[in-house]
Amino acid sequence: MKSHYDAIVIGSGLGGLTAGALLARAGHEVLVLEKNPGFGGAASTFERGGHRFEVSLHETTLPGSGADPKAAVFRALDLDAHITFVPIETFQEIRSPVLGAPLTLPHGLDAVEAALAARFPDQREAIHRFLRQIDRSQEALAVFAEKHGGHWWRGHAADLPLDLWALVRDMRSSLSEVLERYFGKDELLKLVLTANLPYYGDDPDRLWWLAYAIAQGGFLSGGGYYIKGGSGKLTDALVEVIRDTGGEALTGRRVTHVLTDEAGRATGVRFQTGADDVAEVSAPVIFANAAPQAVAQMLDEPLRDDFLAPYAGRDPSISLFSVQYALSRPASDLGVTSYSTVLLPDWMQTPDDFRAAAPLLGAAPGDRLPPLIAVDYGQIDSGLAEDGPAPFSVTGVDRLENWEDLSETAYAARKSEWIGAFTRRLDAEWPGFAAAVTSAEMMTARSLRDVLGTPGGAVHGFAPEPPSKLLSGPPSTVRSSVPGLWIASAWSGFGGFTGAMSGGAMAARAALRRL
């Protein structure tokens, strides 16, 4: 390893790797330092007992669809040559005792409208207007994400006012407020439309409507896709770009300090290579792929308050639990028919009930179970299973306080109890499931805190809450109070794979203007 690089990346999540890969492709020498044994953070897979499991990815949008900004990154780095996106046939199946027969939501807004209108005929017109609101919000965001000349704007002037109104009218609205405007007290329809809310949060009163419209609208309109072989394939491709252009990517290196000069400008990092081994390396550009709270602890104390000031009052996003199952039989043999199935318990009657889900894991399983999102990777050509059935997973909302004060023995016992409860729930839905389970491993908010180093085990950066001011939103900035130090992660804007890569791309563009 050299003593000087053009850029150093702290952490190897998708945001940092995207920033590093873009600088590497532009001809700059890049060093990636990752504290964990493997790259990628949440964008990775792991193996147990000869089975490969996905850490986080259930599905993502296709680069370039709707307002998805990943396309520019994929083109710049030629990632399409290394990544295969597998289409998922339908968006999700929703099962609930209060719903009656399962409801399957397809892809494509027209098809979604038809499916919802067939189940809720009295709300046909409201459903049409609601989905059109999502569509126009998507269109407006896509327009502003692109660069157009005067001829284009003149040609599309007649369409823009409606798109802009769709965007601006609800700029400060919560998901609850928009649902109330369209559907009033029809709680069952609202529950269907928010069935997979745990992916984004657990409180519709505090979830930003536009965040929902961007994420949920992208899946409903353009469909969901899985990265064949697992999300680690995307991580590997980004690492390969950095290494192929002369850069280095190293694991087992924990950055402890961001070095600065007398003017407060970042000049390099100090890191640990073992229990007692410490090294320093310099660079004029530092990309931080870590939560701001973690980055602040790497700075000299006089710099911390100014660094954290832009994030004051911002709460971390929700955390999640997941259970990864290995099966002796394909889940389809047991009656599973959809890639993604949302299992809503009978105690849930309204979207407001999501708020009561996460605290359930703070004790042993009782009469109430949280809502579950079940994913059968065997429904598609996921590339996760070379021999035998593909893995199966369930996930839901979680909080670190459910687990942080438990001893290791109590922690393991509580997880085992919840694995048993979830397995029984799945067996009640698909008889024979429990007998087919050969292994099960649970990750919690505590697991994510330890691996990702995020406050509370947050999985999406900051919580996507409604902004306090018109035409404002999350702190979508990659700049920091320390010159030369850039935030390249979901913490610079939106969460998820798309948000993290977008944050990395913004950081790379900003840094390139300074090099």
Side-chain angles (χ1 to χ4, degrees):
M1 186 176 67
K2 299 167 52 178
S3 61
H4 179 82
Y5 291 82
D6 297 321
I8 298 170
V9 183
I10 303 173
S12 66
L14 290 181
L17 289 179
T18 297
L22 288 170
L23 254 70
R25 186 57 61 88
H28 298 282
E29 289 187 303
V30 175
L31 171 66
V32 178
L33 298 172
E34 167 58 51
K35 66 177 182 177
N36 291 314
F39 297 113
S44 59
T45 58
F46 66 94
E47 294 193 9
R48 294 285 189 278
H51 298 274
R52 185 190 305 168
F53 298 96
E54 172 65 60
V55 169
S56 67
L57 181 62
H58 288 172
E59 56 189 295
T60 186
T61 50
L62 194 67
S65 60
D68 192 320
K70 294 196 297 289
V73 175
F74 270 67
R75 286 195 300 269
L77 300 176
D78 194 28
L79 294 178
D80 285 327
H82 306 277
I83 303 298
T84 299
F85 285 93
V86 180
I88 298 167
E89 185 175 352
T90 60
F91 177 48
Q92 63 186 12
E93 180 181 331
I94 304 167
R95 296 188 173 208
S96 166
V98 299
L99 180 63
L103 173 62
T104 298
L105 292 182
H107 291 140
L109 292 179
D110 290 342
V112 171
E113 180 178 337
L116 290 173
R119 185 61 67 92
F120 302 93
D122 293 343
Q123 294 281 16
R124 182 181 300 273
E125 179 58 29
I127 291 168
H128 173 78
R129 291 187 290 109
F130 175 77
L131 293 177
R132 188 58 181 145
Q133 173 81 349
I134 287 180
D135 189 34
R136 286 204 173 276
S137 298
Q138 289 271 318
E139 290 173 356
L141 289 166
V143 166
F144 282 102
E146 299 174 359
K147 294 181 179 180
H148 297 291
H151 177 75
W152 187 94
W153 288 100
R154 288 190 296 272
H156 291 76
D159 299 326
L160 289 177
L162 289 176
D163 289 344
L164 290 175
W165 175 242
L167 194 66
V168 173
R169 178 176 63 171
D170 291 310
M171 183 63 73
R172 297 176 60 188
S173 297
S174 70
L175 176 58
S176 290
E177 289 170 331
V178 176
L179 290 173
E180 181 75 17
R181 185 170 73 238
Y182 284 103
F183 306 115
K185 301 301 181 182
D186 193 333
E187 299 301 325
L188 181 57
L189 177 52
K190 290 191 284 187
L191 186 60
V192 166
L193 290 168
T194 58
N196 66 332
L197 186 68
Y199 279 139
Y200 314 121
D202 64 350
D203 188 347
D205 289 346
R206 299 181 64 190
L207 181 65
W208 191 22
W209 155 253
L210 284 179
Y212 172 91
I214 293 168
Q216 193 84 338
F219 288 119
L220 291 176
S221 59
Y225 292 80
Y226 184 71
I227 296 173
K228 186 171 183 178
S231 58
K233 294 292 184 182
L234 179 55
T235 293
D236 292 344
L238 292 169
V239 170
E240 184 177 342
V241 170
I242 294 169
R243 287 174 168 168
D244 285 351
T245 52
E248 292 187 73
L250 304 172
T251 58
R253 271 72 171 181
R254 180 186 295 272
V255 174
T256 58
H257 200 79
V258 174
L259 305 174
T260 54
D261 60 19
E262 294 181 355
R265 174 177 290 277
T267 59
V269 300
R270 181 180 303 130
F271 62 96
Q272 291 180 324
T273 59
D276 301 313
D277 297 327
V278 177
E280 293 184 1
V281 62
S282 64
V285 169
I286 310 296
F287 292 120
N289 188 169
Q293 294 88 335
V295 180
Q297 297 306 307
M298 302 175 192
L299 297 172
D300 290 332
E301 190 168 353
L303 300 175
R304 293 176 185 174
D305 287 346
D306 286 345
F307 176 83
L308 288 174
Y311 310 107
R314 295 304 307 263
D315 293 326
S317 76
I318 192 68
S319 190
L320 299 171
F321 71 83
S322 66
V323 179
Q324 310 290 342
Y325 289 99
L327 303 177
S328 61
R329 300 168 58 190
S332 58
D333 288 355
L334 306 170
V336 179
T337 57
S338 297
Y339 175 81
S340 178
T341 305
V342 183
L343 301 175
L344 298 175
D346 56 5
W347 61 267
M348 291 194 66
Q349 308 288 321
T350 169
D352 291 341
D353 290 333
F354 278 107
R355 290 193 288 265
L360 294 174
L361 279 80
D367 294 336
R368 286 187 170 189
L369 294 184
L372 301 176
I373 302 176
V375 173
D376 175 16
Y377 290 98
Q379 295 285 335
I380 62 172
D381 183 18
S382 66
L384 294 179
E386 296 181 1
D387 299 308
F392 188 97
S393 74
V394 294
T395 192
V397 290
D398 196 10
R399 299 285 186 189
L400 179 60
E401 52 263 35
N402 291 331
W403 310 94
E404 63 180 338
D405 294 330
L406 297 178
S407 67
E408 288 299 325
T409 300
Y411 180 51
R414 173 88 61 81
K415 287 199 298 181
S416 179
E417 290 176 317
W418 276 104
I419 290 173
F422 294 144
T423 303
R424 290 190 293 274
R425 173 68 183 90
L426 296 171
D427 192 70
E429 197 71 38
W430 298 293
F433 184 91
V437 173
T438 59
S439 70
E441 182 168 342
M442 185 174 186
M443 292 188 291
T444 69
R446 177 166 157 174
S447 310
L448 294 175
R449 187 273 314 272
D450 293 344
V451 173
L452 302 180
T454 56
V459 294
H460 294 310
F462 291 110
E465 297 180 352
S468 58
K469 298 179 181 179
L470 188 64
L471 297 179
S472 68
S476 300
T477 177
V478 297
R479 303 178 187 277
S480 79
S481 61
V482 179
L485 175 61
W486 309 89
I487 307 301
S489 68
W491 297 91
S492 60
F494 288 101
F497 281 30
T498 298
M501 295 186 74
S502 179
M506 288 191 297
R509 287 194 296 268
L512 283 169
R513 289 194 290 267
R514 298 295 182 92
L515 285 174

